[in-house]
Amino acid sequence: MTTMQALTVRLNRMAATALLVGPALMAGYGVVRLVGRAVSDYGPGVWWTLAHLLFLAGVLAFVPVLLGLRGLAGERGGGRTAATVAAWTGLLGAAAVVVQAVIDLTAGFAAADKQAMSEIFDRVQGVPGVMPLVYTVVPMLFWLGLLALVTLLAFLRRDVVRSWAPVLVLAGTVVMAVNLDLLPVGALCLGVALMPVRRGLSA
């Protein structure tokens, strides 16, 4: 086995693990958020910090997922090109979401109470370009890239990605976008959709 082949195997194993860990961390974020809102005002403090650490870790876990899905498209051809574009789209969106999570964590550490945290967010979001780059437009590329990859592979690699997987990814994304309280449900949809992919990455 060459060095490149060994590296590919290692990256695929990492992606296979991340396929489980990513949705689980996202679900954990949703559950901790719900608990925090139930027992406190969910402002600065333990619940806010724990929830957003899980959120940050969950997004980072999807980086090897996107790269692993890209690798399943093959080495050349139009499918490979489309998968590469989709993967980089998702990675760009993931970078924006990571920045968002870091801002949330920083605000939580810096603020003494919920009002102070709100003022920090107002100042940050008031900077020109921050809203579309970090909160509204660019972060959506993460979900669009993931959906595009899964949809593409549902046609190219039917042995690995089930035909219903894009529907579940779309459903999970919409559910989380509509109501953050449904994050655990959305994460479950992602987990179920991506679970069969582990076989292809582990082969």
Side-chain angles (χ1 to χ4, degrees):
M1 181 182 294
T2 66
T3 302
M4 185 58 68
Q5 288 174 327
L7 179 60
T8 299
V9 170
R10 185 175 300 177
L11 289 175
N12 283 345
R13 287 175 179 170
M14 184 184 302
T17 301
L19 283 167
L20 294 177
V21 174
L25 288 169
M26 288 289 192
Y29 163 53
V31 170
V32 171
R33 180 181 177 276
L34 286 173
V35 174
R37 286 165 59 87
V39 302
S40 69
D41 62 356
Y42 191 59
V46 174
W47 293 107
W48 176 273
T49 300
L50 178 57
H52 284 81
L53 284 174
L54 289 171
F55 177 47
L56 176 59
V59 175
L60 291 174
F62 272 90
V63 171
V65 168
L66 291 167
L67 295 175
L69 291 174
R70 170 182 171 270
L72 289 174
E75 293 301 322
R76 53 179 62 89
R80 177 68 169 188
T81 301
T84 299
V85 172
W88 280 106
T89 298
L91 290 171
L92 177 60
V97 178
V98 166
V99 173
Q100 183 184 141
V102 171
I103 291 173
D104 290 348
L105 282 167
T106 303
F109 283 124
D113 53 36
K114 197 168 186 178
Q115 178 60 35
M117 189 168 68
S118 179
E119 292 173 358
I120 292 174
F121 283 134
D122 288 342
R123 289 198 299 271
V124 171
Q125 294 172 5
V127 176
V130 167
M131 283 301 292
L133 287 174
V134 180
Y135 287 95
T136 55
V137 180
V138 180
M140 287 303 300
L141 298 179
F142 170 52
W143 303 106
L144 290 175
L146 178 63
L147 177 60
L149 268 173
V150 173
T151 302
L152 182 66
L153 291 173
F155 288 97
L156 295 177
R157 294 295 307 272
R158 296 180 183 179
D159 57 320
V160 176
V161 177
R162 301 293 183 262
S163 59
W164 41 262
V167 177
L168 273 183
V169 172
L170 177 61
T173 301
V174 171
V175 161
M176 290 187 284
V178 169
N179 190 337
L180 288 178
D181 289 345
L182 297 176
L183 271 164
V185 177
L188 178 62
C189 289
L190 295 180
V192 173
L194 296 173
M195 181 71 69
V197 183
R198 297 186 72 244
R199 184 180 61 196
L201 290 170
S202 302

